Amino acid sequence: MQSHASFSDVSELQLSVRGPVFTPADPGFAPEVAAFNLSTQHQPDLAFGALDAEDVSAAIRWAAERGMPVSVQSTGHGATNAIEGGLLISTRRMLELSIDPLEKTARVGAGVRWKAVVELAATFGLMGLCGSTTDVGVVGYTLGGGLPILGRKYGFASDHVIAFELVTADGTQRRVTKDENSELFYLLRGGKGNLGIVTAMEFHLFPAADLYAGGMYFDGEHAPEVLRAFREWVPSLPVDASASMAFLRLPDMEMVPEPLRGKFVIHLRYAYQGDLATAAEVLEPMRHCAPFMMDATGPLDSTQFDTIHQDPDQPVPVREHGFLLDRLDDQAEDALLRHFGPGVESPVLLAELRLLGGALAKSTDGEDIVGGRDAAFSFFMGAIAVPPVLDILPGVFSAVHEDLRPAANAGTFVNLHGHFVDAEDRERPWLPSARERLRKAKAEVDPKNMFSFGHVVGLPVIDQTVLLEDVVTAGGDAVLNN
Ligand SMILES: Cc1cc2nc3c(=O)[nH]c(=O)nc-3n(C[C@H](O)[C@H](O)[C@H](O)COP(=O)(O)OP(=O)(O)OC[C@H]3O[C@@H](n4cnc5c(N)ncnc54)[C@H](O)[C@@H]3O)c2cc1C
């Protein structure tokens, strides 16, 4: 098959859409493709800022006619691997947001971040199932399952989706619900960007009252006692409680509060919804496991979710690696302390264990493909990805992974998988049965694997090296082969 892309083609795209089109020569191109993760530099051939579903549909049709692959970006929080070539559709202008307080539901456009939902929902006494930061996009997060702060009480965010609006590779706009396009509905819950571009999503909200949450910080020298206490404490937690602990090697930077700046600390995160006195009582054993530096737990307003994990709110260059653990046993505890305990020099700034279980273990219908339902913990590492550290990170991550392998689960959680290293690793978030279902659905709605960036199954049939630059240098009317 031959594909054609020329200046006149780009003009054609411009004429068929309302949003802006950027070539790499345009000053607006770099900010349009920039990701939150500064270590990932996307290099598509063209970028397009969609305004609505019609725009997305027209741009996909345009790309399909020319055999160009298509990628999508909202906030760039999930930019683990760089996009090279093709058309990047940016959804960040798609900011539709409405809440039905009686039905306790929300409808969001593809560019809406959790912060906007959390703030509007709070005015009705409601909340959405956001994760550790409200800066991520609601749609991208939910397509990956969406592991919320209160996941043990409510399950994954994708368990509560009512409808997706999806544009598939032929440019068709489809409403996808349990009753309409039901297999697509199940597969979008955990299937990430495999099947097309979601332009809007509707989902359930929950009462925001009676939250007790926050973080406690311990000096890193107490890591062994805190880890042991955490391990003994978590099996007793009710589903109303969620918890995680992180080994944090905090940079000596102004963004870090003074008592913690430049320190190695253990950060215990806790969130409970229900009776506030019980919430405090449940946390009590951790208050006595070691002397703490700071206790910032207590009643919490739902607009303050970000204060629990204190994730960075400014773009940073990071490299991440995550997987799942079936258990936290003596061997895993030893491995964690060997890699991250007191006295160890590690380039890993954050190594966190998030407790799973509770409602996360039960699918609402048994048909979705979210990873991690059968795991006990999510384990995730993040490091600042600048040379020379960048070069040693793959080795550091794989050494930790190897040492934790006896306790590791077969799957990974796609949202927290991090950078993938090869085709097998790219598909690893899905167990073989889920991969097969994704392949089958893709054969119907994306037979050429047009959506072949990020975590997807299968190899691209479409050539990803259709470079606009080649067209430009060839005089604006080149024929590109693929
Ligand atoms: C600081 C931080 C904290 C995080 N905490 C959590 C957490 O607590 N729980 C959790 O589950 N995840 C968490 N994540 C991971 C996050 O949910 C994923 O990275 C998610 O992909 C972000 O979505 P985005 O749209 O903001 O990112 P983007 O980088 O814009 O998109 C990432 C990918 O999502 C898909 N996607 C996005 N929009 C669409 C669309 N409209 N249609 C089809 N596919 C789309 C595409 O595959 C795209 O490549 C965290 C990430 C960061 C950086």
Side-chain angles (χ1 to χ4, degrees):
M1 180 188 145
Q2 282 197 321
S3 65
H4 302 260
S6 66
F7 281 137
S8 59
D9 288 328
V10 176
S11 311
E12 206 177 293
L13 174 61
Q14 273 162 336
L15 288 173
S16 59
V17 293
R18 293 195 304 125
V21 176
F22 304 95
T23 72
D26 293 323
F29 181 86
E32 194 67 30
V33 305
F36 182 84
N37 183 351
L38 297 177
S39 77
T40 301
Q41 308 275 327
H42 292 317
Q43 291 180 316
D45 296 328
L46 266 189
F48 165 55
L51 299 191
D52 54 23
E54 288 302 319
D55 257 7
V56 172
S57 175
I60 289 179
R61 278 206 176 91
W62 177 90
E65 280 161 17
R66 286 152 184 87
M68 281 182 102
V70 173
S71 54
V72 58
Q73 174 161 272
S74 164
T75 70
H77 274 83
T80 52
N81 292 68
I83 292 164
E84 280 172 29
L87 172 68
L88 170 65
I89 300 186
S90 155
T91 59
R92 61 187 160 113
R93 295 169 184 78
M94 297 171 67
L95 296 175
E96 170 192 0
L97 168 60
S98 59
I99 284 179
D100 181 334
L102 294 179
E103 293 295 323
K104 299 193 180 65
T105 59
R107 179 182 164 86
V108 294
V112 173
R113 293 176 194 243
W114 269 115
K115 190 173 176 53
V117 177
V118 161
E119 283 177 359
L120 184 59
T123 64
F124 301 109
L126 298 170
M127 65 175 189
L129 298 181
C130 66
S132 61
T133 167
T134 58
D135 204 36
V136 301
V138 182
V139 169
Y141 162 93
T142 308
L143 289 172
L147 174 58
I149 291 283
L150 286 164
R152 286 168 45 79
K153 185 178 178 86
Y154 294 107
F156 287 98
S158 63
D159 293 338
H160 303 285
V161 174
I162 301 162
F164 297 99
E165 285 169 17
L166 175 74
V167 181
T168 46
D170 58 358
T172 306
Q173 297 180 37
R174 300 167 199 245
R175 188 164 167 87
V176 178
T177 68
K178 215 169 183 166
D179 303 316
E180 272 173 274
N181 298 302
S182 56
E183 179 65 353
L184 290 180
F185 179 70
Y186 298 133
L187 295 179
L188 282 175
R189 294 183 305 148
K192 212 69 191 171
N194 266 291
L195 300 169
I197 297 190
V198 169
T199 55
M201 195 178 82
E202 294 160 19
F203 56 98
H204 291 287
L205 299 172
F206 298 90
D210 303 324
L211 292 169
Y212 185 103
M216 290 176 71
Y217 294 87
F218 301 86
D219 191 305
E221 73 176 273
H222 298 298
E225 301 100 279
V226 182
L227 178 58
R228 174 53 62 94
F230 182 75
R231 184 181 154 192
E232 288 171 355
W233 174 60
V234 291
S236 69
L237 288 190
V239 295
D240 290 339
S242 290
S244 66
M245 70 166 277
F247 297 77
L248 280 185
R249 287 174 161 79
L250 293 164
D252 188 2
M253 289 165 74
E254 252 178 61
M255 63 194 264
V256 179
E258 184 51 69
L260 305 173
R261 200 173 289 169
K263 297 260 170 58
F264 164 43
V265 297
I266 301 299
H267 185 195
L268 175 78
R269 298 79 161 260
Y270 177 68
Y272 186 103
Q273 191 178 34
D275 177 66
L276 298 186
T278 311
E281 212 173 287
V282 169
L283 181 61
E284 207 50 23
M286 292 307 290
R287 288 207 165 97
H288 301 290
C289 70
F292 50 82
M293 299 166 75
M294 192 194 282
D295 180 358
T297 57
L300 189 94
D301 188 272
S302 65
T303 56
Q304 301 302 310
F305 271 124
D306 289 345
T307 62
I308 303 172
H309 278 240
Q310 302 271 1
D311 284 344
D313 57 2
Q314 296 300 317
V316 271
V318 288
R319 186 56 70 89
E320 302 157 336
H321 184 74
F323 52 98
L324 300 165
L325 295 177
D326 285 333
R327 59 187 175 276
L328 186 51
D329 54 16
D330 287 347
Q331 212 181 338
E333 195 180 310
D334 286 350
L336 286 170
L337 292 173
R338 221 167 34 248
H339 287 284
F340 306 114
V344 177
E345 285 287 320
S346 173
V348 176
L349 255 59
L350 169 140
E352 78 166 17
L353 279 166
R354 281 198 213 187
L355 179 67
L356 303 177
L360 293 165
K362 297 177 221 117
S363 167
T364 43
D365 45 39
E367 297 284 354
D368 66 84
I369 55 167
V370 176
R373 294 225 186 252
D374 59 343
F377 296 92
S378 152
F379 180 69
F380 178 81
M381 295 173 276
I384 295 293
V386 287
V389 175
L390 180 58
D391 302 330
I392 61 162
L393 286 179
V396 171
F397 288 158
S398 63
V400 177
H401 200 148
E402 257 333 292
D403 284 355
L404 285 170
R405 199 172 294 283
N409 185 278
T412 66
F413 179 57
V414 66
N415 275 2
L416 300 177
H417 180 109
H419 192 86
F420 54 83
V421 292
D422 55 29
E424 165 60 20
D425 194 28
R426 176 183 237 194
E427 294 190 351
R428 214 154 54 84
W430 302 289
L431 296 176
S433 59
R435 290 181 201 176
E436 271 326 297
R437 285 173 66 195
L438 278 172
R439 283 203 178 88
K440 200 163 161 234
K442 242 171 146 35
E444 282 170 31
V445 299
D446 183 17
K448 290 187 178 159
N449 212 354
M450 176 190 246
F451 302 107
S452 52
F453 295 101
H455 281 282
V456 286
V457 296
L459 294 171
V461 178
I462 289 182
D463 184 357
Q464 301 198 355
T465 57
V466 180
L467 292 174
L468 192 73
E469 262 175 88
D470 295 346
V471 180
V472 176
T473 50
D477 201 17
V479 175
L480 297 147
N481 297 316
N482 70 358

